[in-house]
Amino acid sequence: MSTRREAVKQALNEASGFRSAQDLYADLRAEGSKIGLTTVYRALQALSDSGEVDVLRTDEGEAVYRACASDSHHHHLVCRGCGRAVEVEGPAVEKWAEAVGAKHGFTDVTHTVEVFGTCADCSARVN
Amino acid sequence: MSTRREAVKQALNEASGFRSAQDLYADLRAEGSKIGLTTVYRALQALSDSGEVDVLRTDEGEAVYRACASDSHHHHLVCRGCGRAVEVEGPAVEKWAEAVGAKHGFTDVTHTVEVFGTCADCSARVN
DNA sequence: GTCATTTTGACAATCGTTTTCGTTTTCGGC
DNA sequence: GCCGAAAACGAAAACGATTGTCAAAATGAC
């Protein structure tokens, strides 16, 4: 793994939640790195290919990334306000997805689940 | 609702699954309509604002739309091959999302759930 | 050090989507 | 049927995220 890629991964680790490629680029430039935007994208693609980071899409279609503690299957509870994310598991959901797929004759069933909310800190901040 | 908007809605109804704005534009042009791409986007935005159609993002970040039979909360089981979608419900998932949010102090919890698979027809076609 | 390979980054290109803006259509009153 | 205001349209330009190109720079093997 190259130095640049390490830098991107570390920037992701330091962030508490999901960040877009552009965010990370800005972060890295802000701390003095001379990295290019292209390289950030390449690094993120490589990291997500190797399963080291999770990717998801915002409603606006932007891809956002996060370094995940766990490498097993899990989902995220994401704060709408600050982007902070908690990894959660849901065996019930896994089973349900599998069952619902089978019931309709679908094979090779996968699923995406994201839970959004406002975290305690953020709702306190508003008041 | 204008004529153009009606046309877009009808095109969506005739399609069996999720279609992108560009797909629908192509469909409408193919059947002789002189509609513009801008209008298709506007119609889809209006339809999704009024809750008449469901929107989701593909992994590539493209927005896809579908006319929904039910106007209550539901999710989709989507075929990877042909895009055909089945509306499904999952009380268990709703409860789980709510519970997991509450457990971590999140309020105003929402969630997105999509299930993907290969439908019977499509897996037959491959063989 | 030298050559080959890989990585990098500035820049251009792409693609879905949105905005702009002048034109056309629709519609309520007359 | 005709008029003017308001809404809808569509072509083209603008946009923003992402990807492709390609020459320069870093790295590694010898």
Side-chain angles (χ1 to χ4, degrees):
Chain A
M1 175 142 58
S2 74
T3 311
R4 292 307 201 193
R5 193 158 301 173
E6 290 277 18
V8 171
K9 189 171 186 188
Q10 191 188 334
L12 252 191
N13 280 327
E14 285 164 6
S16 54
F18 282 92
R19 314 235 36 169
S20 72
Q22 314 267 352
D23 287 344
L24 287 167
Y25 173 64
D27 291 351
L28 287 162
R29 299 292 288 207
E31 50 183 66
S33 169
K34 291 283 182 289
I35 198 170
L37 183 52
T38 310
T39 306
V40 175
Y41 274 104
R42 269 191 295 242
L44 288 171
Q45 197 146 45
L47 288 168
S48 78
D49 283 352
S50 73
E52 292 175 76
V53 306
D54 272 9
V55 198
L56 62 88
R57 295 259 170 193
T58 65
D59 285 346
E60 294 80 42
E62 200 179 14
V64 289
Y65 303 83
R66 181 169 193 274
C68 282
S70 144
D71 49 345
S72 65
H73 179 78
H74 62 272
H75 302 291
H76 292 102
L77 171 58
V78 186
C79 176
R80 247 188 299 274
C82 61
R84 194 156 62 84
V86 181
E87 297 181 14
V88 295
E89 291 195 15
V93 179
E94 320 298 331
K95 291 216 185 67
W96 169 81
E98 196 61 46
V100 100
K103 178 168 142 195
H104 290 90
F106 282 55
T107 52
D108 204 9
V109 176
T110 61
H111 60 275
T112 68
V113 175
E114 303 298 335
V115 186
F116 300 94
T118 306
C119 76
D121 291 354
C122 283
S123 42
R125 194 167 307 139
V126 175
N127 304 332
Chain B
M1 176 142 57
S2 74
T3 312
R4 293 307 202 193
R5 192 159 302 171
E6 290 276 16
V8 171
K9 190 172 185 186
Q10 190 187 334
L12 252 190
N13 281 327
E14 285 163 8
S16 54
F18 281 92
R19 315 232 44 174
S20 71
Q22 316 265 352
D23 288 344
L24 286 167
Y25 173 64
D27 292 350
L28 287 162
R29 300 292 286 207
E31 49 183 64
S33 169
K34 293 281 183 290
I35 198 171
L37 183 53
T38 309
T39 306
V40 175
Y41 275 105
R42 268 192 293 243
L44 288 171
Q45 198 146 45
L47 288 169
S48 78
D49 282 353
S50 73
E52 293 175 74
V53 306
D54 271 8
V55 198
L56 62 88
R57 296 260 169 191
T58 65
D59 284 347
E60 294 80 43
E62 201 179 13
V64 290
Y65 303 83
R66 180 168 193 273
C68 282
S70 144
D71 50 345
S72 65
H73 180 79
H74 62 272
H75 301 292
H76 292 102
L77 170 59
V78 186
C79 175
R80 248 189 299 273
C82 60
R84 194 155 63 84
V86 181
E87 298 182 14
V88 295
E89 290 196 17
V93 178
E94 319 298 330
K95 291 216 185 67
W96 169 81
E98 197 60 46
V100 99
K103 178 169 142 195
H104 293 276
F106 282 57
T107 52
D108 204 8
V109 176
T110 62
H111 61 274
T112 69
V113 174
E114 304 297 335
V115 186
F116 300 94
T118 306
C119 76
D121 291 353
C122 283
S123 42
R125 194 168 308 139
V126 176
N127 303 333

